[in-house]
Each structure stands twice: as structure tokens, then as C-alpha cells.
Amino acid sequence: MLVAAAVCPCPPLLVPEVASGAAPELDAARDACADAVGVLAASRPDLLVVVGAADQEGTGTYPQGARGSFRGFGVDLGAFLGTAVRTPTGFPGSDPAGELPQSLAVGAWLLSRTQWADAPVEGLRVGERLTGDACVQEGRKLAVRAERVALLVMGEGSACRTLKAPGYLDERAEGFDEAAARALGAADTAALTALDETLACELQAAGRAPWQVLAGAAQGAGLGGQLLYEDAPYGVGYFVAVWS
């Protein structure tokens, strides 16, 4: 059964070494993410699953110890899923093809900041175009994996909030993000499930699929929600929420 969840954005800029001189701009988001992960640790789960979007089709799983890398952003830094070790990526035998997708790599980095070592950790990537029904089914399967399951859900809202946003300005973006923020803050599984897949795709809202996995996992769990952070730096909707 799902006992806790944390929702966090997953831009590589959360990693100070990647952000470099712009690192202080996301300090508030980093602090909120740390608080959210702390709630997961306090829930004492038997299993933690990091869920994040990827541009691959379907879903894919990653075992504890899977490697994530930030080499593509000019930083020789990586993180192992479910360990307290942050390490340079130039280790013998590293296989770039088998590395965590960006969203899960950022999730692994967030866990490394909290010295997470209390429960087994796995990763689940979810295709950005996976249907809502399929996402909900994935979530239901996660919820029965252990007696006490926690999720770290990585994803963003629309990328179309300003003229300089990655997806340029779209007048529908603010309304989409407001609805998502309300649902995340209220632990409203029905509202998350109802998010429009086509609109989310048009607004480049990569969090839609992971959020709907969360909705499926939380059905019947009776969790309450709290929104810890909401902003749109760089024209992208970032939310941090906890469910417990």
C-alpha cells in the first residue's frame, strides 16, 4: 500500500554543479525537494520507487544501484539510484546506454542529498505519451509491491509559460499548471487522472504521466496532500508536493 509520496521537478539545473553561476535561483526549490524527501524517509517504507518521465515508449525499470549521469550537461558527475554516494561518472565499465534517464538521475541526486539508506530503492521510467489509463494501472501495480510503498515522483508542468520558455508562450499553460498544482496539493487522484493527455503533450508537460502513475498508486490509500513549492522559473511549471 502507498504510505507516502513526494512530487518534485526534475530539471538538471537542480544540481548546483550543472546550474553553475545560476545555482542560487533554484535554492528554494532544492530546499522544498529536500523537505519532501524527508517526508518519504519518515514514512519508513519497505520499498521506495522513483518514478520519472522519459522520451522512450512504454515503461522501463531500474534496480537499486543503477547509474545516472550529468555528463550531457558538461559536468562529470553522477549518482547511483538508492545510495548515498555521488560520484564522478568516469568509472571503469560505465555504460552510457544503460544509464538512468534524466528524470531518474535527478531523483537519484535528490536522494543522495538525504543520505537515503533505509529501504530498497528502484526506478520506473514512464513514456511521456503513455495513456492515462496505462499510467494508472502502473501505479496500482506499484502500490501492491510491498506492505509500505513510497514514491518519489519526478516531473514538471507546462513548458510554455513565457515567451522565453522552451515551448514558447501558450495561453493555456497557466490554467493547466493551476489545475495540476491544486490536484497535487490536495492529493486529488481523480483530478490528476483527468488531466488531458493531448493538452499536456502540446504544453510539453512531462509530469503528466508520472503524476497519473501516482494517482493510480494512491487510489484508496486515504492520503492527504500539501503543496510545498510552486513557481515557473524559466517559463516551466515546477511543483513540490507531499502526500502522507
Side-chain angles (χ1 to χ4, degrees):
M1 173 182 257
L2 187 70
V3 296
V7 176
C8 296
C10 54
L13 289 174
L14 274 182
V15 181
E17 291 88 342
V18 174
S20 188
E25 297 176 9
L26 290 180
D27 278 348
R30 292 186 194 97
D31 291 344
C33 288
D35 290 343
V37 173
V39 170
L40 296 183
S43 73
R44 304 174 69 178
D46 300 316
L47 172 67
L48 171 66
V49 182
V50 185
V51 182
D55 57 9
Q56 295 102 316
E57 296 292 327
T59 62
T61 59
Y62 298 84
Q64 182 157 321
R67 301 160 177 149
S69 164
F70 301 101
R71 285 174 295 191
F73 303 95
V75 177
D76 190 22
L77 179 71
F80 290 122
L81 187 64
T83 76
V85 178
R86 295 170 61 208
T87 177
T89 56
F91 38 73
S94 82
D95 178 10
E99 288 179 349
L100 298 169
Q102 173 186 306
S103 60
L104 298 187
V106 175
W109 176 81
L110 286 176
L111 291 177
S112 77
R113 298 181 77 210
T114 63
Q115 303 293 306
W116 181 278
D118 293 335
V121 180
E122 299 177 7
L124 173 68
R125 66 164 169 80
V126 184
E128 293 178 2
R129 295 179 180 271
L130 194 68
T131 67
D133 288 344
C135 290
V136 168
Q137 289 300 321
E138 287 294 328
R140 289 173 177 164
K141 289 189 287 186
L142 289 179
V144 298
R145 288 281 313 281
E147 185 174 344
R148 298 179 63 82
V149 176
L151 300 182
L152 174 55
V153 182
M154 310 297 297
E156 287 107 33
S158 70
C160 304
R161 292 283 292 273
T162 66
L163 292 173
K164 294 184 178 181
Y168 196 65
L169 177 65
D170 190 311
E171 294 181 353
R172 302 171 297 173
E174 186 171 356
F176 178 91
D177 283 350
E178 288 176 351
R182 283 195 303 270
L184 292 171
D188 188 336
T189 59
L192 286 181
T193 302
L195 289 176
D196 189 293
E197 300 164 30
T198 300
L199 178 59
C201 181
E202 293 172 354
L203 297 176
Q204 301 180 28
R208 188 276 307 172
W211 298 339
Q212 290 182 329
V213 171
L214 169 60
Q219 287 179 349
L223 303 181
Q226 182 181 5
L227 191 66
L228 303 182
Y229 176 89
E230 177 186 4
D231 202 357
Y234 318 115
V236 181
Y238 291 170
F239 314 111
V240 179
V242 290
W243 293 19
S244 62

